[in-house]
Amino acid sequence: YAHLSTSLETFLAGASDDGAYIELSRLLYRALVRSNADASSAQAFALQSDWLSLAKQFYHERDFEKSQLYSRLVLEATPGQEEAQDFLIRAMIRLAEFRDASDEVERMRLAGRIREAHYLRGFLERHRGDHKAAIRYYELALNAGRGGLAIFRELAECHFQLDDLIKLKSMLRR
């Protein structure tokens, strides 16, 4: 496996086709894990980090299909990896895959990630156009300890969409 992983790593360095890169990087990951060498485990971790970085980068570039694909690669290698799960759900929502996103949010909730589950459920409901439900989930996320500018921005957007200018003004003051 060590020889295979070295050969694959060399080949991947020059690969330009996304499909080939994905399939061969999966194979490289499995070879690295099975080789049981210390250097290989560091390389396997670096490969997962690369996949997660790509998932984030593609999400922010609004290429939600690729973001979803790389998030899944990370989750395939490390089930339950929280950041990959977050980006997977966000990408699903942006692709209007609401049922799958809802199922993934429920898995997150059952795993004990309550704050993030409520926040992402609010994000899902906002993208579905149910701003009242989104507000309810965002407030649950706040009550569970979720903070940050993003949640207030999301709440402000919902209040704006509902033409609730008093609540909007209150969100903008935070």
Side-chain angles (χ1 to χ4, degrees), residues 53-123:
S53 293
L54 286 167
K56 291 182 207 178
Q57 176 186 331
F58 285 127
Y59 182 85
H60 293 298
E61 291 174 358
R62 305 181 73 76
D63 188 340
F64 303 120
E65 291 90 357
K66 284 186 180 176
S67 177
Q68 185 181 53
L69 179 67
Y70 283 99
S71 296
R72 286 188 191 283
L73 282 175
V74 175
L75 290 168
E76 190 178 292
T78 312
Q81 207 285 350
E82 293 179 358
E83 206 170 0
Q85 188 180 34
D86 292 353
F87 277 94
L88 174 64
I89 293 168
R90 291 169 195 244
M92 289 173 159
I93 292 168
R94 295 299 198 118
L95 293 169
E97 297 175 5
F98 299 131
R99 180 178 298 263
D100 291 339
S102 181
D103 292 346
E104 196 66 35
V105 168
E106 181 60 14
R107 278 191 282 283
M108 177 185 278
R109 189 187 67 75
L110 292 173
R113 296 187 59 215
I114 305 300
R115 277 188 307 228
E116 287 307 308
H118 287 318
Y119 175 79
L120 288 170
R121 185 53 178 245
F123 190 71

Side-chain angles (χ1 to χ4, degrees), residues 130-150:
D130 189 346
H131 296 96
K132 286 183 182 181
I135 290 169
R136 188 171 56 251
Y137 283 107
Y138 287 142
E139 287 176 350
L140 286 170
L142 282 171
N143 291 337
R146 175 77 151 89
L149 182 62

Side-chain angles (χ1 to χ4, degrees), residues 29 43-53 73-74 77-78 81:
Y29 178 80
Q43 288 173 303
F45 181 76
L47 191 54
Q48 286 181 47
S49 294
D50 289 346
W51 290 338
L52 184 57
S53 293
L73 282 175
V74 175
T78 312
Q81 207 285 350

